[in-house]
Amino acid sequence: HRPWPGLIHAYRHRLPVHDDWRVVTLREGATPLLPARALSELTGCEVHLKVEGLNPTGSFKDRGMTMAVTEALATGKKGVLCASTGNTSASAAAYASIAGLECAVLVPKGKIAMGKLAQAVMYGARIIEVDGNFDDCLELARKTTAEYSSIALVNSVNPVRIEGQKTAAFEIVDALGRAPDVHALPVGNAGNITAYWRGYSEYHADGIIAARPRMLGVQAAGAAPLVLGAPVKDPETIATAIRIGSPASWNQAVAAKEESGGQFRAATDEELLDAYRLVARTEGVFVEPASAASVAGLLAATGDGWIERGSLVVCTVTGNGLKDPQTAMADGVRSVTVGIDPVAVAVAMGL
Ligand code: F0G
């Protein structure tokens, strides 16, 4: 039993990495595919959670970032730059720190979760707050890197990011021995749905799976351009990770939906928060609000019959709940105070 080497070494033959490149890795990937007992019982399906919050910086972004920073280092870049709603910035900062590259992150001012900002600070990134939303940040990142060739753009518009992220689909198939019937995931800038679809499609083309899943892409209702079929000028949602009005990988996301016979769906903030609480209280998995979109989508789609009973469903939960303590504590902490008194503790437990 050898220790997990990180996803580039594990899936090297399927990734555009040259043999003589130094691989920049934090041993990302190999995340749990967790059977979800309560969700399975509730929906009549066989539900698994792909727990991406257990990557080194707490989100799926590490899969793409090991590739993007490996390439940036190998091609002689001096620094990396990204626009981010928080997770990409945390990941870029961590991988840049081990590569010895400068890192700057462009974030929408006041709109990223506290834990993500703390990560970027600790990993030593330069934090640049932009008076605008994610879409404005991405435009600025694209313009800057177009003009300065020593700076690598490490958003998912960088094709190697998608290559790294497709490995999550490989891991799911490797674990299940087949593809699920339905794969549900949150959609913001639409890189991840693009990546999963590519991963499933590669395995399908090579005959490793007989069929590909229907892709269920779930957006927040206040930031649901793919559901509406048009960009949203002022996206708004409590799920700040997916507060995006103009997804960069729009066409690829639509292709994934169409080719898979899939669907885009919107979940209201209330539905997101309900799913967020449910998955913590019944499955023991604390995710961030955006990540609960996959579970909210599962509940809605089994509710109206788009997902049939008995289906094998994988929900990707993209980021760790610890990143956003403020949303978790927004309703206050319900507690009781006791003395050093076992009776009072037992009473407090209701036992
Ligand atoms: N879930 C989480 C926790 C995210 O951070 C993101 C995107 C998504 C889902 C959506 O993935 O953009 O590939 O469709 N976060 C980016 C960021 C935008 O900057 O961290 P997507």
Side-chain angles (χ1 to χ4, degrees):
H1 182 79
R2 304 221 329 275
W4 173 254
L7 63 85
I8 290 181
H9 291 299
Y11 292 106
R12 184 161 209 138
H13 58 296
R14 293 185 175 276
L15 295 171
V17 175
H18 297 202
D19 287 343
D20 58 343
W21 287 4
R22 177 188 146 199
V23 173
V24 180
T25 178
L26 288 164
R27 310 285 168 115
E28 56 296 308
T31 55
L33 185 67
L34 196 69
R37 290 183 59 168
L39 290 174
S40 296
E41 199 164 303
L42 192 62
T43 59
C45 294
E46 183 185 335
V47 181
H48 297 257
L49 300 175
K50 182 65 170 162
V51 187
E52 289 290 276
L54 292 178
N55 275 297
T57 77
S59 85
F60 72 96
K61 304 291 181 177
D62 296 340
R63 292 182 184 275
M65 209 55 73
T66 183
M67 287 293 298
V69 176
T70 292
E71 185 188 64
L73 188 65
T75 55
K77 303 288 184 186
K78 298 280 179 281
V80 300
L81 179 68
C82 67
S84 183
T85 56
N87 282 322
T88 300
S89 60
S91 187
Y95 285 80
S97 79
I98 50 170
L101 296 173
E102 288 300 319
C103 176
V105 302
L106 299 169
V107 296
K109 192 172 177 61
K111 292 291 184 183
I112 89 168
M114 197 168 57
K116 302 175 188 180
L117 198 54
Q119 288 179 290
V121 169
M122 286 302 295
Y123 294 131
R126 186 162 302 273
I127 292 153
I128 305 173
E129 294 191 298
V130 176
D131 258 326
N133 59 31
F134 171 84
D135 305 289
D136 302 315
C137 294
L138 184 57
E139 192 188 330
L140 180 56
R142 284 188 199 258
K143 282 187 175 155
T144 307
T145 51
E147 283 183 34
Y148 295 86
S149 62
S150 63
I151 308 172
L153 180 60
V154 296
N155 281 103
S156 59
V157 294
N158 178 335
V160 301
R161 276 274 315 270
I162 305 294
E163 288 292 310
Q165 287 174 211
K166 76 185 179 186
T167 60
F170 297 161
E171 289 177 15
I172 289 165
V173 171
D174 294 349
L176 294 175
R178 54 164 289 194
D181 299 311
V182 175
H183 188 120
L185 79 171
V187 175
N189 208 29
N192 214 28
I193 191 169
T194 301
Y196 272 98
W197 187 241
R198 184 175 304 170
Y200 285 124
S201 296
E202 280 187 21
Y203 264 20
H204 186 243
D206 289 350
I208 297 169
I209 49 176
R212 296 174 290 182
R214 289 190 292 157
M215 301 300 293
L216 175 57
V218 188
Q219 302 206 283
L226 289 162
V227 178
L228 299 169
V232 172
K233 200 170 167 299
D234 292 308
E236 206 45 84
T237 168
I238 192 160
T240 51
I242 53 173
R243 187 174 167 272
I244 294 173
S246 182
S249 298
W250 182 293
N251 293 337
Q252 296 93 316
V254 170
K257 186 204 86 159
E258 303 274 309
E259 290 168 22
S260 75
Q263 189 180 57
F264 295 129
R265 208 177 255 269
T268 63
D269 279 2
E270 203 182 340
E271 289 168 326
L272 291 176
L273 289 173
D274 283 347
Y276 168 71
R277 295 186 192 103
L278 182 72
V279 74
R281 284 179 199 177
T282 66
E283 304 293 354
V285 181
F286 182 25
V287 304
E288 62 172 288
S291 303
S294 54
V295 175
L298 164 76
L299 297 177
T302 49
D304 67 18
W306 190 78
I307 300 178
E308 288 165 26
R309 293 180 73 83
S311 299
L312 176 59
V313 183
V314 172
C315 294
T316 297
V317 283
T318 44
N320 197 303
L322 292 170
K323 285 171 173 279
D324 187 0
Q326 282 162 317
T327 300
M329 316 244 293
D331 299 335
V333 179
R334 279 205 296 152
S335 68
V336 294
T337 306
V338 300
I340 312 299
D341 175 7
V343 175
V345 174
V347 168
M349 291 179 75
L351 297 173

